[in-house]
Amino acid sequence: MPLFSIIIPLYNCEKFIETCLLSVLNQNFNNYEIIIINDYSKDRSLKICTKYKKKYPKIKIINQKTNKGVSSSRNLGIKSSNGEYVIFLDSDDCLENFSLYKLSNLLNIIKKQTQ
């Protein structure tokens, strides 16, 4: 089970999605999955994501048959996630370097304090 499920709702964001994905894939931490919920995009967003899915097995793409909005996409992502923790990342956002590593360290400190 991955520590983090990173859920990315996707709708017509071809200009930004590659940068978003690379910001996650280039982290120095590997215990995560990426779940992309394609909310019926009509641009090249899905094609870009599919290219990365072929190279990185930790990417899962779920296609909605109609545009249902970001809340529906996030809820579907949660239902499809396997991680212990869920992170929402919009398709035009980026993770800072070392974000997942720092977050996992913080979670380990909290777990130790509560035991």
Side-chain angles (χ1 to χ4, degrees):
M1 166 175 27
L3 184 61
F4 300 117
S5 291
I6 301 170
I7 299 171
I8 305 173
L10 179 70
Y11 180 72
N12 292 346
C13 209
E14 68 182 342
K15 293 180 182 178
F16 307 106
I17 188 60
E18 189 166 22
T19 303
C20 174
L21 287 174
L22 287 172
S23 79
V24 179
L25 294 168
N26 290 330
Q27 294 287 311
N28 67 331
F29 183 87
N30 291 313
N31 192 5
Y32 64 87
E33 66 180 350
I34 299 173
I35 302 171
I36 299 168
I37 308 297
N38 177 35
D39 197 21
Y40 204 65
S41 292
K42 299 189 186 294
D43 66 358
R44 294 181 56 249
S45 299
L46 178 58
K47 186 175 183 175
I48 294 165
C49 292
T50 302
K51 176 181 85 171
Y52 280 93
K53 182 186 181 334
K54 288 177 183 175
K55 190 173 179 182
Y56 298 97
K58 41 175 86 236
I59 296 176
K60 182 189 318 182
I61 299 174
I62 300 171
N63 291 299
Q64 302 216 78
K65 295 181 182 181
T66 60
N67 181 270
K68 296 184 178 182
V70 71
S71 295
S72 174
S73 295
R74 286 184 178 137
N75 287 334
L76 181 55
I78 291 169
K79 290 176 187 172
S80 305
S81 68
N82 295 309
E84 190 174 345
Y85 299 96
V86 171
I87 296 173
F88 294 117
L89 189 64
D90 288 334
S91 53
D92 61 349
D93 289 339
C94 295
L95 282 182
E96 291 289 327
N97 291 337
F98 305 102
S99 294
L100 297 179
Y101 174 77
K102 290 176 183 178
L103 187 54
S104 69
N105 283 342
L106 180 61
L107 290 168
N108 284 333
I109 291 169
I110 292 170
K111 284 181 184 178
K112 287 177 184 176
Q113 289 177 348
T114 58
Q115 288 178 350

